[in-house]
Amino acid sequence: MKKLQHIIEIEDYQSFDELNSQDRKLLDRAQLACKSAYAPYSRFRVGAAVLLENGEIVAGNNQENAAYPSGSCAERVAMYYASAHYPNVAMLAIAVAVESDEVKFTKPLAPCGSCRQVMAEYEHLFQIKMRVILSEPGGRVQIINGVTDLLPFTFNATELKGS
Ligand code: THU
């Protein structure tokens, strides 16, 4: 037996102001998307913005439902919109922002496992790393350059074929 380690790299920024202009623009779009989230049950508003290889930015936000599991996270709304409208265009980056009148945030919001799996699907499809920009309201930003650092041992189409 031997122990293996998986080391991940995170870019850690103390504030939005430290970001380069492209990352900042994407995060601003994610923040804007929070404002129109449909989150009457959790009152936890999340926005996501996806940068496409053709330069377009598409945004989405969480959409909740009285039948709770029928709702969807902001990240998946944005990625599915991107895939539906620009089916052959790679997703280069996704920025995620959150706001709530009740919750006090102390670190950047981490995407749920299902959203990480969907990010992994598109990263695998386009064979290009997706930059994931995570943020805390008015605070820190953490950037992970590639979804496999957010979801190691990823299940993707390669596994379906066996190895
Ligand atoms: N949510 C997101 O939209 N993205 C995340 O990364 C975490 C959670 C949403 C789902 C639900 O509408 C609310 O936040 C509370 O979980």
Side-chain angles (χ1 to χ4, degrees):
M1 189 278 271
K2 61 180 176 181
K3 290 192 177 172
L4 307 175
Q5 286 186 327
H6 180 89
I7 296 171
I8 66 166
E9 199 175 87
I10 301 169
E11 296 172 26
D12 194 43
Y13 300 86
Q14 288 312 303
S15 82
F16 286 29
D17 296 336
E18 287 179 30
L19 298 178
N20 69 39
S21 59
Q22 193 178 57
D23 290 345
R24 177 65 195 254
K25 185 175 169 199
L26 200 60
L27 189 52
D28 285 347
R29 284 289 299 273
Q31 266 197 311
L32 189 64
C34 286
K35 310 277 173 218
S36 46
Y38 178 63
Y41 306 106
S42 70
R43 295 204 287 271
F44 191 88
R45 298 181 294 278
V46 185
V50 175
L51 173 66
L52 299 170
E53 204 170 21
N54 64 6
E56 292 278 340
I57 292 176
V58 301
N61 44 35
N62 51 332
Q63 298 294 317
E64 296 186 347
N65 194 285
Y68 293 177
S70 301
S72 181
C73 290
E75 295 91 323
R76 272 175 285 163
V77 171
M79 287 185 282
Y80 288 152
Y81 184 96
S83 183
H85 291 270
Y86 302 94
N88 299 311
V89 186
M91 301 181 200
L92 301 183
I94 183 167
V96 186
V98 62
E99 62 175 36
S100 161
D101 303 328
E102 291 134 44
V103 178
K104 178 156 168 27
F105 297 93
T106 53
K107 57 181 171 52
L109 177 76
C112 79
S114 298
C115 289
R116 292 177 202 211
Q117 182 65 32
V118 173
M119 289 173 193
E121 178 74 19
Y122 294 121
E123 185 168 276
H124 180 75
L125 175 66
F126 297 114
Q127 290 292 299
I128 186 165
K129 277 190 178 184
M130 195 187 293
R131 192 166 165 80
V132 185
I133 303 168
L134 306 176
S135 67
E136 172 192 343
R140 261 164 81 192
V141 178
Q142 290 184 326
I143 302 182
I144 294 95
N145 216 354
V147 179
T148 47
D149 272 353
L150 265 184
L151 187 67
F153 301 101
T154 316
F155 180 85
N156 61 36
T158 314
E159 266 69 49
L160 285 177
K161 297 188 195 103
S163 53

mmCIF file of all heavy atoms in Angstrom, residues 84-113:
data_model
loop_
_atom_site.group_PDB
_atom_site.id
_atom_site.type_symbol
_atom_site.label_atom_id
_atom_site.label_comp_id
_atom_site.label_asym_id
_atom_site.label_seq_id
_atom_site.Cartn_x
_atom_site.Cartn_y
_atom_site.Cartn_z
ATOM 1 N N ALA A 84 -27.430 25.210 -24.094
ATOM 2 C CA ALA A 84 -28.621 25.201 -24.949
ATOM 3 C C ALA A 84 -28.516 26.222 -26.077
ATOM 4 O O ALA A 84 -28.939 25.969 -27.206
ATOM 5 C CB ALA A 84 -29.864 25.488 -24.095
ATOM 6 N N HIS A 85 -27.929 27.366 -25.771
ATOM 7 C CA HIS A 85 -27.881 28.436 -26.773
ATOM 8 C C HIS A 85 -26.598 28.454 -27.587
ATOM 9 O O HIS A 85 -26.573 28.971 -28.696
ATOM 10 C CB HIS A 85 -28.101 29.790 -26.093
ATOM 11 C CG HIS A 85 -29.500 29.957 -25.591
ATOM 12 N ND1 HIS A 85 -30.512 30.501 -26.343
ATOM 13 C CD2 HIS A 85 -30.067 29.595 -24.416
ATOM 14 C CE1 HIS A 85 -31.636 30.482 -25.655
ATOM 15 N NE2 HIS A 85 -31.392 29.930 -24.464
ATOM 16 N N TYR A 86 -25.521 27.942 -27.024
ATOM 17 C CA TYR A 86 -24.223 27.911 -27.728
ATOM 18 C C TYR A 86 -23.654 26.497 -27.600
ATOM 19 O O TYR A 86 -22.656 26.277 -26.907
ATOM 20 C CB TYR A 86 -23.257 28.923 -27.098
ATOM 21 C CG TYR A 86 -23.766 30.350 -27.093
ATOM 22 C CD1 TYR A 86 -24.450 30.859 -25.982
ATOM 23 C CD2 TYR A 86 -23.550 31.193 -28.176
ATOM 24 C CE1 TYR A 86 -24.919 32.162 -25.972
ATOM 25 C CE2 TYR A 86 -24.011 32.503 -28.171
ATOM 26 C CZ TYR A 86 -24.694 32.972 -27.064
ATOM 27 O OH TYR A 86 -25.154 34.278 -27.053
ATOM 28 N N PRO A 87 -24.283 25.524 -28.266
ATOM 29 C CA PRO A 87 -23.952 24.116 -28.013
ATOM 30 C C PRO A 87 -22.515 23.703 -28.308
ATOM 31 O O PRO A 87 -22.028 22.768 -27.708
ATOM 32 C CB PRO A 87 -24.941 23.349 -28.902
ATOM 33 C CG PRO A 87 -25.461 24.332 -29.872
ATOM 34 C CD PRO A 87 -25.384 25.669 -29.235
ATOM 35 N N ASN A 88 -21.852 24.392 -29.211
ATOM 36 C CA ASN A 88 -20.491 23.957 -29.547
ATOM 37 C C ASN A 88 -19.420 24.931 -29.097
ATOM 38 O O ASN A 88 -18.319 24.928 -29.634
ATOM 39 C CB ASN A 88 -20.382 23.719 -31.063
ATOM 40 C CG ASN A 88 -21.346 22.631 -31.487
ATOM 41 O OD1 ASN A 88 -21.389 21.568 -30.878
ATOM 42 N ND2 ASN A 88 -22.153 22.915 -32.498
ATOM 43 N N VAL A 89 -19.747 25.757 -28.141
ATOM 44 C CA VAL A 89 -18.796 26.779 -27.704
ATOM 45 C C VAL A 89 -18.304 26.441 -26.294
ATOM 46 O O VAL A 89 -19.105 26.272 -25.365
ATOM 47 C CB VAL A 89 -19.453 28.187 -27.728
ATOM 48 C CG1 VAL A 89 -18.422 29.252 -27.414
ATOM 49 C CG2 VAL A 89 -20.115 28.455 -29.077
ATOM 50 N N ALA A 90 -16.993 26.349 -26.150
ATOM 51 C CA ALA A 90 -16.413 25.967 -24.855
ATOM 52 C C ALA A 90 -16.705 27.010 -23.774
ATOM 53 O O ALA A 90 -16.822 28.206 -24.052
ATOM 54 C CB ALA A 90 -14.904 25.801 -24.994
ATOM 55 N N MET A 91 -16.823 26.508 -22.550
ATOM 56 C CA MET A 91 -17.016 27.386 -21.383
ATOM 57 C C MET A 91 -15.645 27.574 -20.734
ATOM 58 O O MET A 91 -15.064 26.621 -20.225
ATOM 59 C CB MET A 91 -17.989 26.744 -20.389
ATOM 60 C CG MET A 91 -19.355 26.471 -21.012
ATOM 61 S SD MET A 91 -20.500 25.730 -19.833
ATOM 62 C CE MET A 91 -21.697 24.991 -20.982
ATOM 63 N N LEU A 92 -15.153 28.788 -20.757
ATOM 64 C CA LEU A 92 -13.795 29.043 -20.263
ATOM 65 C C LEU A 92 -13.759 29.308 -18.768
ATOM 66 O O LEU A 92 -12.762 29.028 -18.112
ATOM 67 C CB LEU A 92 -13.188 30.250 -20.990
ATOM 68 C CG LEU A 92 -13.077 30.165 -22.511
ATOM 69 C CD1 LEU A 92 -12.398 31.417 -23.051
ATOM 70 C CD2 LEU A 92 -12.300 28.927 -22.908
ATOM 71 N N ALA A 93 -14.831 29.898 -18.255
ATOM 72 C CA ALA A 93 -14.825 30.268 -16.834
ATOM 73 C C ALA A 93 -16.259 30.392 -16.330
ATOM 74 O O ALA A 93 -17.184 30.647 -17.110
ATOM 75 C CB ALA A 93 -14.095 31.600 -16.646
ATOM 76 N N ILE A 94 -16.403 30.192 -15.020
ATOM 77 C CA ILE A 94 -17.705 30.435 -14.375
ATOM 78 C C ILE A 94 -17.434 31.178 -13.070
ATOM 79 O O ILE A 94 -16.530 30.800 -12.310
ATOM 80 C CB ILE A 94 -18.496 29.124 -14.145
ATOM 81 C CG1 ILE A 94 -19.879 29.433 -13.530
ATOM 82 C CG2 ILE A 94 -17.725 28.114 -13.308
ATOM 83 C CD1 ILE A 94 -20.838 28.237 -13.574
ATOM 84 N N ALA A 95 -18.167 32.249 -12.859
ATOM 85 C CA ALA A 95 -18.045 33.008 -11.610
ATOM 86 C C ALA A 95 -19.332 32.810 -10.816
ATOM 87 O O ALA A 95 -20.424 32.733 -11.392
ATOM 88 C CB ALA A 95 -17.824 34.488 -11.898
ATOM 89 N N VAL A 96 -19.195 32.716 -9.502
ATOM 90 C CA VAL A 96 -20.352 32.475 -8.634
ATOM 91 C C VAL A 96 -20.379 33.525 -7.524
ATOM 92 O O VAL A 96 -19.355 33.781 -6.876
ATOM 93 C CB VAL A 96 -20.291 31.052 -8.009
ATOM 94 C CG1 VAL A 96 -21.556 30.758 -7.221
ATOM 95 C CG2 VAL A 96 -20.059 29.989 -9.079
ATOM 96 N N ALA A 97 -21.546 34.116 -7.330
ATOM 97 C CA ALA A 97 -21.719 35.115 -6.265
ATOM 98 C C ALA A 97 -22.957 34.744 -5.454
ATOM 99 O O ALA A 97 -23.853 34.063 -5.948
ATOM 100 C CB ALA A 97 -21.872 36.507 -6.871
ATOM 101 N N VAL A 98 -22.986 35.210 -4.222
ATOM 102 C CA VAL A 98 -24.107 34.877 -3.341
ATOM 103 C C VAL A 98 -24.486 36.100 -2.527
ATOM 104 O O VAL A 98 -23.635 36.958 -2.250
ATOM 105 C CB VAL A 98 -23.720 33.680 -2.421
ATOM 106 C CG1 VAL A 98 -22.548 34.004 -1.523
ATOM 107 C CG2 VAL A 98 -24.900 33.203 -1.585
ATOM 108 N N GLU A 99 -25.754 36.181 -2.153
ATOM 109 C CA GLU A 99 -26.164 37.226 -1.205
ATOM 110 C C GLU A 99 -27.351 36.714 -0.392
ATOM 111 O O GLU A 99 -28.132 35.895 -0.850
ATOM 112 C CB GLU A 99 -26.465 38.560 -1.904
ATOM 113 C CG GLU A 99 -27.598 38.519 -2.882
ATOM 114 C CD GLU A 99 -27.936 39.893 -3.444
ATOM 115 O OE1 GLU A 99 -27.029 40.710 -3.651
ATOM 116 O OE2 GLU A 99 -29.128 40.134 -3.681
ATOM 117 N N SER A 100 -27.429 37.194 0.810
ATOM 118 C CA SER A 100 -28.519 36.802 1.694
ATOM 119 C C SER A 100 -28.686 37.898 2.727
ATOM 120 O O SER A 100 -27.705 38.506 3.156
ATOM 121 C CB SER A 100 -28.168 35.479 2.394
ATOM 122 O OG SER A 100 -28.971 35.304 3.538
ATOM 123 N N ASP A 101 -29.942 38.143 3.121
ATOM 124 C CA ASP A 101 -30.170 39.162 4.144
ATOM 125 C C ASP A 101 -29.968 38.568 5.538
ATOM 126 O O ASP A 101 -29.859 39.289 6.513
ATOM 127 C CB ASP A 101 -31.597 39.719 4.030
ATOM 128 C CG ASP A 101 -31.835 40.283 2.645
ATOM 129 O OD1 ASP A 101 -30.868 40.797 2.048
ATOM 130 O OD2 ASP A 101 -32.984 40.181 2.149
ATOM 131 N N GLU A 102 -29.928 37.247 5.608
ATOM 132 C CA GLU A 102 -29.887 36.577 6.914
ATOM 133 C C GLU A 102 -28.559 35.915 7.259
ATOM 134 O O GLU A 102 -28.162 35.880 8.420
ATOM 135 C CB GLU A 102 -30.987 35.508 6.964
ATOM 136 C CG GLU A 102 -32.369 36.102 7.004
ATOM 137 C CD GLU A 102 -33.336 35.439 6.044
ATOM 138 O OE1 GLU A 102 -33.347 34.209 5.973
ATOM 139 O OE2 GLU A 102 -34.075 36.157 5.348
ATOM 140 N N VAL A 103 -27.899 35.392 6.229
ATOM 141 C CA VAL A 103 -26.672 34.625 6.485
ATOM 142 C C VAL A 103 -25.465 35.551 6.447
ATOM 143 O O VAL A 103 -25.359 36.418 5.583
ATOM 144 C CB VAL A 103 -26.492 33.535 5.389
ATOM 145 C CG1 VAL A 103 -25.208 32.758 5.597
ATOM 146 C CG2 VAL A 103 -27.694 32.602 5.370
ATOM 147 N N LYS A 104 -24.556 35.346 7.413
ATOM 148 C CA LYS A 104 -23.308 36.111 7.377
ATOM 149 C C LYS A 104 -22.238 35.186 6.794
ATOM 150 O O LYS A 104 -21.982 34.102 7.315
ATOM 151 C CB LYS A 104 -22.942 36.568 8.796
ATOM 152 C CG LYS A 104 -21.637 37.319 8.827
ATOM 153 C CD LYS A 104 -21.511 38.246 10.005
ATOM 154 C CE LYS A 104 -20.094 38.771 10.195
ATOM 155 N NZ LYS A 104 -19.249 38.854 9.020
ATOM 156 N N PHE A 105 -21.645 35.617 5.695
ATOM 157 C CA PHE A 105 -20.667 34.766 5.015
ATOM 158 C C PHE A 105 -19.261 35.044 5.537
ATOM 159 O O PHE A 105 -18.889 36.190 5.770
ATOM 160 C CB PHE A 105 -20.720 35.007 3.501
ATOM 161 C CG PHE A 105 -22.041 34.642 2.907
ATOM 162 C CD1 PHE A 105 -23.038 35.599 2.755
ATOM 163 C CD2 PHE A 105 -22.307 33.335 2.525
ATOM 164 C CE1 PHE A 105 -24.279 35.257 2.226
ATOM 165 C CE2 PHE A 105 -23.537 32.985 2.010
ATOM 166 C CZ PHE A 105 -24.530 33.944 1.852
ATOM 167 N N THR A 106 -18.503 33.974 5.711
ATOM 168 C CA THR A 106 -17.138 34.147 6.204
ATOM 169 C C THR A 106 -16.112 33.568 5.234
ATOM 170 O O THR A 106 -14.913 33.614 5.479
ATOM 171 C CB THR A 106 -16.960 33.446 7.565
ATOM 172 O OG1 THR A 106 -17.384 32.088 7.409
ATOM 173 C CG2 THR A 106 -17.789 34.114 8.647
ATOM 174 N N LYS A 107 -16.611 32.987 4.144
ATOM 175 C CA LYS A 107 -15.697 32.453 3.128
ATOM 176 C C LYS A 107 -16.446 32.374 1.796
ATOM 177 O O LYS A 107 -17.685 32.445 1.779
ATOM 178 C CB LYS A 107 -15.166 31.082 3.536
ATOM 179 C CG LYS A 107 -16.221 30.038 3.812
ATOM 180 C CD LYS A 107 -15.547 28.735 4.230
ATOM 181 C CE LYS A 107 -16.486 27.681 4.729
ATOM 182 N NZ LYS A 107 -17.617 27.311 3.938
ATOM 183 N N PRO A 108 -15.711 32.209 0.695
ATOM 184 C CA PRO A 108 -16.393 32.114 -0.600
ATOM 185 C C PRO A 108 -17.321 30.899 -0.661
ATOM 186 O O PRO A 108 -17.024 29.857 -0.076
ATOM 187 C CB PRO A 108 -15.231 31.966 -1.596
ATOM 188 C CG PRO A 108 -14.067 32.601 -0.912
ATOM 189 C CD PRO A 108 -14.250 32.273 0.548
ATOM 190 N N LEU A 109 -18.432 31.059 -1.355
ATOM 191 C CA LEU A 109 -19.415 29.973 -1.493
ATOM 192 C C LEU A 109 -18.827 28.850 -2.352
ATOM 193 O O LEU A 109 -18.327 29.106 -3.450
ATOM 194 C CB LEU A 109 -20.683 30.511 -2.162
ATOM 195 C CG LEU A 109 -21.772 29.468 -2.425
ATOM 196 C CD1 LEU A 109 -22.488 29.113 -1.128
ATOM 197 C CD2 LEU A 109 -22.762 29.956 -3.457
ATOM 198 N N ALA A 110 -18.904 27.636 -1.850
ATOM 199 C CA ALA A 110 -18.417 26.474 -2.609
ATOM 200 C C ALA A 110 -19.583 25.828 -3.349
ATOM 201 O O ALA A 110 -20.615 25.554 -2.739
ATOM 202 C CB ALA A 110 -17.780 25.477 -1.653
ATOM 203 N N PRO A 111 -19.463 25.567 -4.634
ATOM 204 C CA PRO A 111 -20.562 24.956 -5.383
ATOM 205 C C PRO A 111 -20.891 23.547 -4.886
ATOM 206 O O PRO A 111 -20.003 22.831 -4.419
ATOM 207 C CB PRO A 111 -20.030 24.868 -6.824
ATOM 208 C CG PRO A 111 -18.823 25.717 -6.871
ATOM 209 C CD PRO A 111 -18.294 25.829 -5.468
ATOM 210 N N CYS A 112 -22.145 23.152 -4.998
ATOM 211 C CA CYS A 112 -22.548 21.816 -4.538
ATOM 212 C C CYS A 112 -21.967 20.746 -5.464
ATOM 213 O O CYS A 112 -21.483 21.033 -6.567
ATOM 214 C CB CYS A 112 -24.067 21.708 -4.466
ATOM 215 S SG CYS A 112 -24.866 21.428 -6.057
ATOM 216 N N GLY A 113 -22.036 19.520 -5.006
ATOM 217 C CA GLY A 113 -21.472 18.400 -5.765
ATOM 218 C C GLY A 113 -22.094 18.231 -7.143
ATOM 219 O O GLY A 113 -21.401 17.925 -8.119
#
